[in-house]
Amino acid sequence: MPTKLIIGLQWGDEGKGKVVDSLVHDWADVCIRYQGGPNAGHTIYDNEGNKYVTHALPSGILKKGCLNIISKGCVIEPNNLFKEIKSFSFDNSLLKISSQCPLILPHHVLIDKLKYQSKIGTTAKGIGPAYSEYIARDNKTLHDLCFNFDELTNYIYNSLVALNQKYSDDHLNAFLESFINENSYATRLRSISYKDNLVEFLHHEYFEILNILRSTYSQYIIDSDKTIHELYKDKKNIILEGAQGWGLDIWGKSYPNATSSSPNVGGALTYTGLNHKQIDEVIGIVKVYKSKVGTGDFSTEWPDTHELHELRQRLGEYGATTGRPRRLGDLDLDEIKKACETNGVDTIVITRIDNVPDLPLLKLKHNNENIYFPKWKKEDEMKKEDLEDEKIKNFVKYFKEVTKIDKIGLSYGKKRKQLEWLL
Ligand code: IMP
């Protein structure tokens, strides 16, 4: 079984990072992030309880000897990705990035902040504008950063100048300032007009940094389709790691309240160049309740009360990338069934089993009805033996019957080892 595809079956933040990290440590030689960008935040705890958060890097980065690939379906912001790379200590020869990755450039971040953050509650990381310019055949790729530098810098300059036709100087100046500050560029440029700011910023800071990054990225770039096929032929154990989830797929029913890529299986194939026969197991990740950030329909949502705020804090349900409070609701099995159908799911991992005692009720939606289950108890940290509880067994039995998925994993704590397969 050389290729396992990991997909979130809800609205992102199901706990994919933890599951990928556990599987990588048990089994994988290669971990491939196939879509999204720094909008994601995968939180991982090792067995000692140390916390790590990845945004654009694959979650295999913590396993020694694991080859990590960012495939062409991911959008990358060169400066922040470089900072993320530096923040982890790993063998640099074990990170590869597709030369075809579309770039997230300053004007993408500005457009996201100016328009889409308030429109649909995006993470404001420039994801949508970067993908849409790629689809329009305008955007630049990592290849351009490394080999067409002048063309790239002209493109950035012209795109930023063009924004001036749509937005006022004041608007742009404020956003450029916040971009400069948030990304820790020098602040000597403020309180002059956007155009002066822009020229100064680009020529004296941004392009200089990009120029340095050219040679840095040259050591990482690959033709990701080719490399992935070779690894597959060599029978390497490969994990394909999705970001976000089924509900946020750009071609899903929640459009336009969606991300700009396809976390679902079709996306995974396009973005890695693998064909459908080369995916040996699709593993869906489901949280025992559900959460969402951003606007749009969200069935089974819990009302916004004081108790909900307390519960959210207990569960730590705040965006790993933006810190925004997440909307929460009951597990919706009608949605999970659709997500399984779309993705041909073979296996499901249910996460946050240890958080059930924290919930006011263990309730789920099936066939548009509420189904109630007795909650289980836990003493401090949950252990493998605790999964023998009849209440957990009955809950899992019902889940299996409804989803018709027999292979279930239970994630019952934050640590790597707290994942049990029930076969
Ligand atoms: P974007 O991906 O930043 O364009 O945001 C589009 C929608 O996807 C918004 O509702 C975001 O909150 C949501 N989103 C993006 N990334 C994640 C994630 O990693 N987890 C959960 N929601 C996300």
Side-chain angles (χ1 to χ4, degrees), residues 11-14 16 33 36-42 55 112 116-117 120-129 131 243-245 247-249 256-261 291-296 319-322 324 326-327:
W11 299 84
D13 310 314
E14 299 92 349
K16 293 180 293 296
R33 227 332 257 285
N39 48 352
H42 290 168
H55 293 286
D112 209 1
Y116 299 102
Q117 189 174 24
I120 59 163
T122 67
T123 57
K125 299 288 176 193
I127 307 292
Y131 275 118
Q244 292 84 45
L248 289 169
D249 191 294
N257 297 293
T259 192
S260 302
S261 59
S291 66
K292 182 181 201 301
V293 267
T295 53
T321 296
T322 58
R324 290 180 296 172
R326 294 179 183 148
R327 300 160 69 187

Side-chain angles (χ1 to χ4, degrees), residues 192-401:
I192 42 174
S193 79
Y194 175 71
K195 279 187 186 135
D196 296 339
N197 237 346
L198 186 66
V199 174
E200 282 279 316
F201 168 63
L202 291 180
H203 289 286
H204 296 298
E205 291 187 61
Y206 191 68
F207 292 162
E208 274 178 25
I209 291 172
L210 282 190
N211 200 17
I212 296 168
L213 292 177
R214 287 170 76 178
S215 53
T216 308
Y217 280 108
S218 302
Q219 62 177 308
Y220 295 118
I221 57 171
I222 51 162
D223 171 341
S224 61
D225 285 21
K226 185 166 173 273
T227 305
I228 293 169
H229 270 285
E230 281 165 6
L231 291 163
Y232 182 84
K233 274 195 215 130
D234 287 350
K235 297 201 171 2
K236 296 288 180 204
N237 287 343
I238 301 173
I239 289 204
L240 308 181
E241 177 186 25
Q244 292 84 45
W246 162 85
L248 289 169
D249 191 294
I250 186 65
W251 293 103
K253 289 271 182 289
S254 64
Y255 178 86
N257 297 293
T259 192
S260 302
S261 59
S262 283
N264 284 321
V265 66
L269 300 179
T270 303
Y271 300 139
T272 57
L274 287 170
N275 68 54
H276 66 285
K277 293 178 190 153
Q278 293 170 320
I279 306 290
D280 300 291
E281 185 180 8
V282 178
I283 304 179
I285 315 298
V286 172
K287 190 153 62 179
V288 78
Y289 52 91
K290 62 189 251 193
S291 66
K292 182 181 201 301
V293 267
T295 53
D297 289 347
F298 190 54
S299 71
T300 74
E301 183 164 11
W302 297 334
D304 188 19
T305 58
H306 178 66
E307 287 74 37
L308 177 73
H309 292 207
E310 281 181 0
L311 177 63
R312 181 184 287 128
Q313 241 165 20
R314 262 204 313 280
L315 298 170
E317 286 289 0
Y318 297 87
T321 296
T322 58
R324 290 180 296 172
R326 294 179 183 148
R327 300 160 69 187
L328 301 175
D330 296 317
L331 176 58
D332 184 340
L333 283 188
D334 297 329
E335 275 180 3
I336 302 296
K337 281 198 292 187
K338 288 183 204 158
C340 287
E341 213 167 75
T342 302
N343 288 301
V345 170
D346 301 296
T347 306
I348 288 183
V349 177
I350 310 174
T351 64
R352 298 270 197 158
I353 290 292
D354 55 316
N355 281 122
V356 166
D358 298 314
L359 306 178
L361 289 169
L362 179 55
K363 176 155 78 75
L364 54 82
K365 184 176 148 225
H366 179 220
N367 285 337
N368 277 323
E369 282 180 23
N370 287 328
I371 320 276
Y372 294 82
F373 287 86
K375 294 195 299 170
W376 42 89
K377 293 201 175 68
K378 75 164 174 192
E379 315 286 337
D380 296 330
E381 204 175 30
M382 205 164 174
K383 292 180 212 65
K384 188 176 156 182
E385 305 81 82
D386 299 330
L387 301 177
E388 292 302 315
D389 190 326
E390 283 306 313
K391 290 175 182 154
I392 299 183
K393 286 188 172 169
N394 284 335
F395 175 80
V396 172
K397 187 167 170 264
Y398 184 85
F399 188 94
K400 280 185 176 182
E401 277 166 13

